[in-house]
Amino acid sequence: MTPDSRHEKDNPGSPGAIPGVVILGGAHGTLALARSLGAQKVPVWLVSNDTPLPGRSRHISGKFGWRGENAADAAGFLLELAGTAGLSGALLVAGGDTEVRLVSQAAETLAGAYRLTLPPWERLKWVCEKPLLYRRAAELGLNTPLTYEFASLDEASGADIRFPVVLKPNMGGSSRFQRAKVVRADDRASFLTALSDAAEQIGLENVVVQQLIPGGGECQFSYAALWNEGEPVAEFTARRTRQYPVEFGYTSTFVEAMEVSDAAEAARLLLRSIRHHGLVEIEFKRDPRDGVLRVLDVNPRPWSWFGLAKAAGVDLGAMMWDVANSRPARPAAIRSGAAWMYLVRDLAAAAQLRAQGKLTTGSYARALGSVRSWAAFAGDDPVPGLIDIPLTAWRVLTRRILR
């Protein structure tokens, strides 16, 4: 088995050093991580059966297709790949939610061929699966949105619910509902229809129903970091100022680095409780009704706006490589105000906000001036940016409109 290699890279370090990084799946976050590592001359291989976007980067040394992380032999495929492609000892990074579950659940098996960047599932499930996440948050004294639990659809039909609500999968996946990430319901009829549809796809026990926290991007914050054996190596916080759709985004579209001290404190408490290891982003929303910061989601993988890390002076990809090679992580100099933008979707979000009278042309122009990292475009790696617009349009058409 031979990778599709477009160029060769120096293998840093002495004989016996980690040969490089293998990334499983992912899209814009994977692309940003590959660019961060590529700038350090670290070989990066991509294993994916999804979007071709990161595979078009000049920083990808080789690409491998596979049947996907849900295939019965997924872990076996990765073990075989390590031997046949000369990747034994490589750092293995999960780029998507289902890849995270695979690597963490098969950690004992995969550790024989790769160096892992995730804790075992017994610890990680407490932040990956939303019902367990909210239970752990409550145990630690952290706040979460009002969440409903139902044993059956009949119970849900008669429950006392404060609308509007949102329906979420307990964890990301490949079903239509899991790809949508969030579905809003404003009344009982639309709620029961959405709940029945979601339960049919992934099972009622895997559907999370929460009261919708009001407010837009001004209320949305994130903690982003690299952890090593239960302690943070580097971290920063940001505001997810715009997203699309604007009320409960499928994806962030404009994110700004800024200090949010209570988000960092809550994140550290949560991550220390599982002795986290690796990359992580935690999403919060400040409830405008009472000012309380509430935990929404945890992503132990490269997230969509991962590229902001380097632009904000906290190059988490390069630091991950340093830590894996037992070198001191390079110092961080956080640049508050640096921003990341997913231009294609942000234009749609901005148009919607303008129509609602919540965004002016001048403020949008100022936002553009603060952008230091783009979701797909980079001057020294142009191809992903060139294909992002048609690729996004195709995915929206086939995965959201036609379905």
PDB file of all heavy atoms in Angstrom, residues 4-22:
ATOM      1  N   ASP A   4      -0.463   8.416  -1.891  1.00  0.00           N
ATOM      2  CA  ASP A   4      -0.416   9.299  -3.044  1.00  0.00           C
ATOM      3  C   ASP A   4       0.465  10.487  -2.678  1.00  0.00           C
ATOM      4  O   ASP A   4       0.012  11.482  -2.144  1.00  0.00           O
ATOM      5  CB  ASP A   4      -1.844   9.762  -3.373  1.00  0.00           C
ATOM      6  CG  ASP A   4      -1.884  10.869  -4.404  1.00  0.00           C
ATOM      7  OD1 ASP A   4      -0.902  11.017  -5.128  1.00  0.00           O
ATOM      8  OD2 ASP A   4      -2.903  11.583  -4.472  1.00  0.00           O
ATOM      9  N   SER A   5       1.768  10.376  -2.927  1.00  0.00           N
ATOM     10  CA  SER A   5       2.705  11.406  -2.484  1.00  0.00           C
ATOM     11  C   SER A   5       2.957  12.394  -3.606  1.00  0.00           C
ATOM     12  O   SER A   5       3.269  12.013  -4.722  1.00  0.00           O
ATOM     13  CB  SER A   5       4.032  10.767  -2.059  1.00  0.00           C
ATOM     14  OG  SER A   5       3.839   9.886  -0.983  1.00  0.00           O
ATOM     15  N   ARG A   6       2.815  13.684  -3.258  1.00  0.00           N
ATOM     16  CA  ARG A   6       3.078  14.724  -4.230  1.00  0.00           C
ATOM     17  C   ARG A   6       4.435  15.372  -3.998  1.00  0.00           C
ATOM     18  O   ARG A   6       4.958  16.080  -4.842  1.00  0.00           O
ATOM     19  CB  ARG A   6       1.976  15.786  -4.187  1.00  0.00           C
ATOM     20  CG  ARG A   6       0.650  15.272  -4.682  1.00  0.00           C
ATOM     21  CD  ARG A   6      -0.281  16.421  -4.945  1.00  0.00           C
ATOM     22  NE  ARG A   6      -0.531  17.215  -3.755  1.00  0.00           N
ATOM     23  CZ  ARG A   6      -1.476  16.938  -2.866  1.00  0.00           C
ATOM     24  NH1 ARG A   6      -2.228  15.869  -3.017  1.00  0.00           N
ATOM     25  NH2 ARG A   6      -1.676  17.707  -1.813  1.00  0.00           N
ATOM     26  N   HIS A   7       4.978  15.218  -2.805  1.00  0.00           N
ATOM     27  CA  HIS A   7       6.301  15.761  -2.527  1.00  0.00           C
ATOM     28  C   HIS A   7       6.862  15.069  -1.299  1.00  0.00           C
ATOM     29  O   HIS A   7       6.155  14.482  -0.524  1.00  0.00           O
ATOM     30  CB  HIS A   7       6.244  17.277  -2.300  1.00  0.00           C
ATOM     31  CG  HIS A   7       5.367  17.670  -1.163  1.00  0.00           C
ATOM     32  ND1 HIS A   7       3.995  17.658  -1.244  1.00  0.00           N
ATOM     33  CD2 HIS A   7       5.678  18.066   0.096  1.00  0.00           C
ATOM     34  CE1 HIS A   7       3.486  18.052  -0.085  1.00  0.00           C
ATOM     35  NE2 HIS A   7       4.479  18.286   0.741  1.00  0.00           N
ATOM     36  N   GLU A   8       8.149  15.123  -1.146  1.00  0.00           N
ATOM     37  CA  GLU A   8       8.801  14.502   0.000  1.00  0.00           C
ATOM     38  C   GLU A   8       9.142  15.583   1.025  1.00  0.00           C
ATOM     39  O   GLU A   8       9.379  16.736   0.690  1.00  0.00           O
ATOM     40  CB  GLU A   8      10.101  13.804  -0.448  1.00  0.00           C
ATOM     41  CG  GLU A   8       9.855  12.677  -1.421  1.00  0.00           C
ATOM     42  CD  GLU A   8       9.065  11.533  -0.789  1.00  0.00           C
ATOM     43  OE1 GLU A   8       9.182  11.325   0.435  1.00  0.00           O
ATOM     44  OE2 GLU A   8       8.335  10.854  -1.513  1.00  0.00           O
ATOM     45  N   LYS A   9       9.186  15.175   2.297  1.00  0.00           N
ATOM     46  CA  LYS A   9       9.546  16.104   3.359  1.00  0.00           C
ATOM     47  C   LYS A   9      10.615  15.458   4.221  1.00  0.00           C
ATOM     48  O   LYS A   9      10.689  14.241   4.336  1.00  0.00           O
ATOM     49  CB  LYS A   9       8.324  16.451   4.216  1.00  0.00           C
ATOM     50  CG  LYS A   9       7.229  17.147   3.428  1.00  0.00           C
ATOM     51  CD  LYS A   9       6.104  17.560   4.349  1.00  0.00           C
ATOM     52  CE  LYS A   9       5.034  18.296   3.570  1.00  0.00           C
ATOM     53  NZ  LYS A   9       3.930  18.723   4.390  1.00  0.00           N
ATOM     54  N   ASP A  10      11.421  16.309   4.819  1.00  0.00           N
ATOM     55  CA  ASP A  10      12.426  15.787   5.733  1.00  0.00           C
ATOM     56  C   ASP A  10      11.733  15.216   6.955  1.00  0.00           C
ATOM     57  O   ASP A  10      10.791  15.786   7.473  1.00  0.00           O
ATOM     58  CB  ASP A  10      13.364  16.923   6.171  1.00  0.00           C
ATOM     59  CG  ASP A  10      14.132  17.475   4.988  1.00  0.00           C
ATOM     60  OD1 ASP A  10      14.347  16.715   4.036  1.00  0.00           O
ATOM     61  OD2 ASP A  10      14.492  18.667   5.029  1.00  0.00           O
ATOM     62  N   ASN A  11      12.212  14.089   7.426  1.00  0.00           N
ATOM     63  CA  ASN A  11      11.694  13.510   8.662  1.00  0.00           C
ATOM     64  C   ASN A  11      12.510  14.079   9.814  1.00  0.00           C
ATOM     65  O   ASN A  11      13.686  13.768   9.960  1.00  0.00           O
ATOM     66  CB  ASN A  11      11.825  11.984   8.620  1.00  0.00           C
ATOM     67  CG  ASN A  11      11.082  11.338   9.769  1.00  0.00           C
ATOM     68  OD1 ASN A  11      10.534  12.010  10.629  1.00  0.00           O
ATOM     69  ND2 ASN A  11      11.086  10.016   9.767  1.00  0.00           N
ATOM     70  N   PRO A  12      11.893  14.986  10.622  1.00  0.00           N
ATOM     71  CA  PRO A  12      12.680  15.656  11.646  1.00  0.00           C
ATOM     72  C   PRO A  12      13.140  14.694  12.723  1.00  0.00           C
ATOM     73  O   PRO A  12      12.518  13.690  13.003  1.00  0.00           O
ATOM     74  CB  PRO A  12      11.700  16.695  12.205  1.00  0.00           C
ATOM     75  CG  PRO A  12      10.353  16.114  11.942  1.00  0.00           C
ATOM     76  CD  PRO A  12      10.487  15.344  10.670  1.00  0.00           C
ATOM     77  N   GLY A  13      14.215  15.040  13.348  1.00  0.00           N
ATOM     78  CA  GLY A  13      14.674  14.263  14.503  1.00  0.00           C
ATOM     79  C   GLY A  13      15.660  13.172  14.122  1.00  0.00           C
ATOM     80  O   GLY A  13      16.033  12.963  12.978  1.00  0.00           O
ATOM     81  N   SER A  14      16.079  12.470  15.130  1.00  0.00           N
ATOM     82  CA  SER A  14      17.060  11.415  14.962  1.00  0.00           C
ATOM     83  C   SER A  14      16.380  10.112  14.612  1.00  0.00           C
ATOM     84  O   SER A  14      15.163  10.008  14.658  1.00  0.00           O
ATOM     85  CB  SER A  14      17.830  11.267  16.272  1.00  0.00           C
ATOM     86  OG  SER A  14      16.921  10.982  17.321  1.00  0.00           O
ATOM     87  N   PRO A  15      17.142   9.060  14.227  1.00  0.00           N
ATOM     88  CA  PRO A  15      16.534   7.760  13.972  1.00  0.00           C
ATOM     89  C   PRO A  15      15.734   7.306  15.180  1.00  0.00           C
ATOM     90  O   PRO A  15      16.161   7.440  16.326  1.00  0.00           O
ATOM     91  CB  PRO A  15      17.753   6.863  13.723  1.00  0.00           C
ATOM     92  CG  PRO A  15      18.807   7.793  13.223  1.00  0.00           C
ATOM     93  CD  PRO A  15      18.583   9.078  13.950  1.00  0.00           C
ATOM     94  N   GLY A  16      14.545   6.760  14.932  1.00  0.00           N
ATOM     95  CA  GLY A  16      13.662   6.363  16.012  1.00  0.00           C
ATOM     96  C   GLY A  16      12.678   7.438  16.396  1.00  0.00           C
ATOM     97  O   GLY A  16      11.823   7.214  17.250  1.00  0.00           O
ATOM     98  N   ALA A  17      12.812   8.622  15.807  1.00  0.00           N
ATOM     99  CA  ALA A  17      11.882   9.705  16.101  1.00  0.00           C
ATOM    100  C   ALA A  17      10.519   9.389  15.484  1.00  0.00           C
ATOM    101  O   ALA A  17      10.384   8.526  14.622  1.00  0.00           O
ATOM    102  CB  ALA A  17      12.418  11.025  15.554  1.00  0.00           C
ATOM    103  N   ILE A  18       9.493  10.098  15.926  1.00  0.00           N
ATOM    104  CA  ILE A  18       8.153   9.926  15.371  1.00  0.00           C
ATOM    105  C   ILE A  18       8.195  10.263  13.885  1.00  0.00           C
ATOM    106  O   ILE A  18       8.662  11.344  13.496  1.00  0.00           O
ATOM    107  CB  ILE A  18       7.155  10.847  16.105  1.00  0.00           C
ATOM    108  CG1 ILE A  18       7.148  10.538  17.594  1.00  0.00           C
ATOM    109  CG2 ILE A  18       5.753  10.684  15.532  1.00  0.00           C
ATOM    110  CD1 ILE A  18       6.309  11.495  18.412  1.00  0.00           C
ATOM    111  N   PRO A  19       7.732   9.364  13.002  1.00  0.00           N
ATOM    112  CA  PRO A  19       7.872   9.607  11.567  1.00  0.00           C
ATOM    113  C   PRO A  19       6.973  10.704  11.018  1.00  0.00           C
ATOM    114  O   PRO A  19       7.215  11.207   9.926  1.00  0.00           O
ATOM    115  CB  PRO A  19       7.505   8.247  10.946  1.00  0.00           C
ATOM    116  CG  PRO A  19       6.642   7.583  11.960  1.00  0.00           C
ATOM    117  CD  PRO A  19       7.177   8.025  13.293  1.00  0.00           C
ATOM    118  N   GLY A  20       5.931  11.085  11.727  1.00  0.00           N
ATOM    119  CA  GLY A  20       5.029  12.112  11.244  1.00  0.00           C
ATOM    120  C   GLY A  20       3.678  11.989  11.919  1.00  0.00           C
ATOM    121  O   GLY A  20       3.555  11.390  12.991  1.00  0.00           O
ATOM    122  N   VAL A  21       2.663  12.560  11.291  1.00  0.00           N
ATOM    123  CA  VAL A  21       1.317  12.605  11.859  1.00  0.00           C
ATOM    124  C   VAL A  21       0.324  12.034  10.862  1.00  0.00           C
ATOM    125  O   VAL A  21       0.341  12.394   9.678  1.00  0.00           O
ATOM    126  CB  VAL A  21       0.923  14.050  12.227  1.00  0.00           C
ATOM    127  CG1 VAL A  21      -0.507  14.105  12.757  1.00  0.00           C
ATOM    128  CG2 VAL A  21       1.886  14.622  13.257  1.00  0.00           C
ATOM    129  N   VAL A  22      -0.541  11.149  11.351  1.00  0.00           N
ATOM    130  CA  VAL A  22      -1.649  10.614  10.561  1.00  0.00           C
ATOM    131  C   VAL A  22      -2.933  11.236  11.100  1.00  0.00           C
ATOM    132  O   VAL A  22      -3.227  11.123  12.292  1.00  0.00           O
ATOM    133  CB  VAL A  22      -1.726   9.078  10.660  1.00  0.00           C
ATOM    134  CG1 VAL A  22      -2.949   8.558   9.908  1.00  0.00           C
ATOM    135  CG2 VAL A  22      -0.456   8.448  10.121  1.00  0.00           C
TER     136      VAL A  22
END
